[in-house]
Amino acid sequence: MAQGDRILSAGHDTSIKLWALSLPNTDDGDDAENTISDNTRQDLMAVDEPPEREPSKPIVVYPGKTPFNSIHHHRYEPLFATASNGVHVWDETKTAPITDLTFGGASETVDVVRFNMAEASVLASVGSDRTMCLYDIRTGKAEKRIVMQVRNPVHVA
């Protein structure tokens, strides 16, 4: 999730979009009254059709070169990471990745990328070639790569 009332989306259209969320204001200023009457609850739940709204447009569109499999926003900084044919770190204020992370020139398809919630400078990825990589975004380098073994199926005779 981007900062505050914004959200990022990415997909197979090779673009990343930063959207402004327009959430309804539910604060009526009266904290003493937190109950909803049964009639009001029925009215809120009885929605036949979604309300008429103009389609929203993204705040920013970041062009990519390949389809994206995953996106994750940094917890504190205006950074986000994407997974596609590699791991890319983006700054919200730039229109191109600020860092392309690879492990020893390996060119695998990366399925998922996530920032570590406890150690904010650590980024992890999982690839289609059974690899898991850990990156340090401060140095822009891969720190550790683990290749998971395939479990052989058991044949019953």
Side-chain angles (χ1 to χ4, degrees):
M1 178 108 168
Q3 178 183 353
D5 58 349
R6 299 177 302 163
I7 191 167
L8 288 161
S9 67
H12 288 267
D13 65 350
T14 70
S15 67
I16 303 163
K17 295 175 181 140
L18 180 63
W19 302 88
L21 295 178
S22 56
L23 300 175
N25 185 5
T26 58
D27 184 21
D28 59 0
D30 186 12
D31 292 335
E33 183 75 26
N34 288 331
T35 60
I36 297 176
S37 69
D38 287 337
N39 291 339
T40 305
R41 184 175 289 124
Q42 294 276 337
D43 291 342
L44 291 173
M45 294 174 64
V47 177
D48 295 329
E49 293 182 22
E52 292 290 324
R53 292 185 2 186
E54 288 189 29
S56 60
K57 294 184 179 177
I59 300 170
V60 180
V61 177
Y62 304 92
K65 295 179 181 171
T66 58
F68 297 104
N69 298 322
S70 178
I71 187 168
H72 198 243
H73 200 278
H74 193 276
R75 189 171 185 180
Y76 306 111
E77 302 294 326
L79 302 174
F80 60 93
T82 57
S84 58
N85 62 341
V87 174
H88 310 283
V89 178
W90 302 69
D91 185 326
E92 284 185 17
T93 62
K94 310 277 192 267
T95 58
I98 58 172
T99 307
D100 295 327
L101 301 170
T102 58
F103 191 90
S107 61
E108 78 277 359
T109 299
V110 181
D111 294 323
V112 179
V113 65
R114 292 288 183 266
F115 281 101
N116 187 310
M117 298 305 270
E119 182 60 49
S121 64
V122 174
L123 182 66
S125 71
V126 177
S128 60
D129 60 350
R130 303 182 331 268
T131 58
M132 183 179 72
C133 293
L134 295 175
Y135 306 93
D136 187 341
I137 62 169
R138 295 172 296 192
T139 62
K141 295 183 180 177
E143 298 295 327
K144 183 79 172 170
R145 183 177 188 202
I146 300 167
V147 179
M148 296 176 272
Q149 295 180 356
V150 175
R151 183 176 174 183
N152 292 329
V154 177
H155 296 288
V156 178

